[in-house]
Amino acid sequence: MTTAVLMAVILGLLYIGSSDQPESDSVQIPISLKIDAPTPSGVPDSQAYPEAPSLWREVTVAAGDNLSTIFSDTGLSSLDLHQIMQLGQNVQVLKKIIPGRKLLFDISSRGELNALKYELGPLESLLITKSDNGFAANNLTYKPKVFQTFRSATITGNRPSLYESGKYSGLSDSILMELSYVFQWDISFALDLRQGDSYSLLYEENFLDGVKVRDGEILSAQFNNMGKTYSAVVYQSENGERNYYTPDGKSMRKAFIRDPVHFSRVSSSFNLKRLHPIHKRVMPHRGIDYVADRGTPIVASGDGKVSIARQNGASGKYIVIQHGEQYTTKYMHLWKFARGIRAGKRIKQGQLIGYVGSSGWATAPHLHYEFLLNGVHRNPRTVKLPQAEPISDSERERFLEQTAGYVERLHGLSRPPELALTGE
Ligand SMILES: [Zn+2]
């Protein structure tokens, strides 16, 4: 082979390398790695994908987009789209693609669609691949790596709410929401947080390829509220139900939750305001007020039966719920009742019954909530309530076995306080 021929061959190779397969060697983009690892379930080995490095093009769905416009903008064939849409149940999600989600296209150097991936969630995608037999659709699920994380936080003058203190310590909205539900029977997050209250929790975080995709569940938590300490651990019973218990096996669930309005909706300056000039002059104030925007959902604090749902001059639209023989709760100044709420209706704890308003003698939107025991007004936050159901004797050993580690870790990490990983 002469030098000239050799040069021509080399140049030819360079030419091929630079024009026919642009960047095909260097573009081992992370997107293709995401598909390879971790191994997607539900895809037969024969369809292992991708076989060769390829160039994925990413499109984020914008408002008003549909797959047809995206295909034409991307220069893809409408015949391909038509064939893809014939693939049955799996591809129904493509009829209404959701703004903000990602579509990934693997397009050959000749402009043909090799594959299409649509993200269904952080741990799930729809993958459409082309073979000699045409297109095929598969749902891919990814198994995240789960880590246990410990954090703690303190209520301070600058961060007086669960939300503000939690965000400062790096807790997500979803974990804070869950924490408020774990302790909703014991603590009023709307009314009873005080400076110096503190909490710590052990919870799960899910990672995929080193990137956090979402929080898991709270495994154990401890809350010091106004001098009392409440602790909870998660337990999965033999029949698969997951619930929270005290470390010695009493259910966290009780007959009444503390706040019929979620703390996240209650005005934080609430404690400084007393909004009942009319009330106060006319009668002693025997209820609790939750200042919140008109339309804020109100839930029943316990299981029961609606005995009254009507309107009068002072209370406005109001609901009375009878809980067994002894307990009664009242909800006043509502904007409106929830659908189907009327006298005689059976109600579950936490069920939506109406919306905050300012009907009757009220100067601004708020819920006036009353709690009565044997017809006498009581403070629902101090009244003694029936003991919660403990774990059954038959499951006790299993419970202790499963939860001991959570409590130990929580205590090990939270004591002494200067060793806490986060918080103050
Ligand atoms: Zn009131």
Side-chain angles (χ1 to χ4, degrees):
M1 201 182 281
T2 66
T3 310
V5 172
L6 188 61
M7 282 302 289
V9 170
I10 292 171
L11 283 172
L13 287 173
L14 283 174
Y15 177 76
I16 290 166
S18 64
S19 74
D20 281 0
Q21 298 172 299
E23 300 173 300
S24 66
D25 287 335
S26 58
V27 186
Q28 293 274 359
I29 47 168
I31 290 159
S32 65
L33 288 177
K34 260 190 170 173
I35 287 178
D36 279 346
T39 314
S41 63
V43 180
D45 276 341
S46 60
Q47 289 183 359
Y49 188 88
E51 286 168 346
S54 53
L55 180 61
W56 285 86
R57 191 180 302 180
E58 184 179 307
V59 175
T60 302
V61 178
D65 274 354
N66 61 52
L67 209 50
S68 170
T69 58
I70 290 176
F71 261 61
S72 96
D73 290 350
T74 316
L76 293 169
S77 131
S78 55
L79 184 64
D80 281 356
L81 177 57
H82 179 75
Q83 287 176 356
I84 288 169
M85 295 315 291
Q86 307 303 308
L87 293 174
Q89 199 55 43
N90 279 4
V91 299
Q92 292 308 303
V93 288
L94 295 177
K95 283 188 176 162
K96 253 197 176 167
I97 50 177
I98 293 171
R101 287 205 182 154
K102 281 181 184 138
L103 279 161
L104 300 158
F105 295 95
D106 175 11
I107 301 169
S108 77
S109 53
R110 288 187 299 175
E112 287 166 352
L113 182 64
N114 290 329
L116 162 62
K117 190 179 155 201
Y118 177 54
E119 293 185 340
L120 300 172
L123 298 174
E124 207 186 341
S125 305
L126 171 66
L127 177 65
I128 291 163
T129 48
K130 190 175 188 180
S131 68
D132 295 341
N133 306 324
F135 288 103
N138 284 288
N139 275 323
L140 310 183
T141 51
Y142 307 103
K143 201 169 160 44
K145 277 207 168 71
V146 181
F147 294 94
Q148 293 185 0
T149 303
F150 172 84
R151 287 185 197 276
S152 61
T154 304
I155 304 293
T156 65
N158 289 333
R159 294 178 285 279
S161 71
L162 182 65
Y163 185 77
E164 289 158 301
S165 60
K167 293 305 268 188
Y168 182 76
S169 290
L171 292 162
S172 69
D173 289 15
S174 64
I175 283 289
L176 288 167
M177 205 60 122
E178 200 181 327
L179 185 69
S180 77
Y181 290 126
V182 170
F183 291 111
Q184 64 182 325
W185 298 274
D186 292 304
I187 299 171
S188 166
F189 292 103
L191 309 177
D192 279 352
L193 293 190
R194 299 288 183 270
Q195 248 185 75
D197 281 1
S198 63
Y199 54 98
S200 46
L201 58 161
L202 185 68
Y203 64 100
E204 292 179 338
E205 290 183 305
N206 295 297
F207 286 79
L208 195 60
D209 297 340
V211 176
K212 181 172 162 180
V213 287
R214 66 175 175 219
D215 286 320
E217 71 180 347
I218 294 174
L219 302 173
S220 60
Q222 186 168 303
F223 209 112
N224 303 303
N225 175 233
M226 301 198 297
K228 277 191 83 173
T229 298
Y230 303 91
S231 302
V233 291
V234 75
Y235 170 66
Q236 181 166 347
S237 69
E238 274 166 335
N239 57 26
E241 256 180 61
R242 291 173 90 86
N243 278 301
Y244 289 91
Y245 292 84
T246 62
D248 63 349
K250 287 199 188 78
S251 174
M252 294 301 284
R253 292 174 183 280
K254 296 177 182 68
F256 295 92
I257 56 173
R258 291 304 188 199
D259 297 323
V261 176
H262 194 259
F263 85 92
S264 61
R265 305 294 297 267
V266 173
S267 161
S268 57
S269 57
F270 168 76
N271 284 326
L272 306 173
K273 281 188 198 165
R274 281 289 161 193
L275 262 188
H276 268 299
I278 305 172
H279 256 164
K280 272 189 173 158
R281 258 178 275 129
V282 175
M283 56 175 130
H285 196 228
R286 295 180 298 184
I288 301 171
D289 294 327
Y290 290 88
V291 178
D293 290 340
R294 180 187 313 281
T296 297
I298 301 166
V299 300
S301 55
D303 291 354
K305 193 178 185 180
V306 175
S307 54
I308 303 173
R310 60 171 179 248
Q311 185 157 14
N312 72 23
S315 304
K317 284 197 169 116
Y318 72 105
I319 296 171
V320 178
I321 301 179
Q322 193 63 43
H323 311 270
E325 296 280 297
Q326 295 183 297
Y327 298 95
T328 309
T329 55
K330 299 182 180 180
Y331 311 78
M332 300 179 189
H333 309 309
L334 273 52
W335 174 45
K336 58 181 183 184
F337 302 131
R339 190 185 297 268
I341 294 299
R342 61 190 126 64
K345 171 107 177 155
R346 291 222 158 266
I347 297 292
K348 284 284 182 201
Q349 184 175 71
Q351 184 179 335
L352 178 71
I353 54 170
Y355 302 90
V356 170
S358 54
S359 60
W361 293 353
T363 53
H366 73 284
L367 169 68
H368 175 97
Y369 174 58
E370 294 185 10
F371 186 97
L372 296 89
L373 173 57
N374 296 322
V376 178
H377 284 86
R378 304 293 291 269
N379 182 344
R381 292 181 272 132
T382 52
V383 69
K384 275 256 175 272
L385 292 172
Q387 273 291 312
E389 280 292 305
I391 204 102
S392 67
D393 284 346
S394 61
E395 280 200 52
R396 188 155 193 92
E397 205 169 314
R398 192 171 177 276
F399 167 82
L400 291 172
E401 208 167 280
Q402 199 183 105
T403 60
Y406 300 155
V407 182
E408 219 164 81
R409 269 210 79 191
L410 189 65
H411 285 176
L413 288 163
S414 61
R415 226 181 295 146
E418 61 269 24
L419 287 182
L421 301 178
T422 51
E424 338 153 42

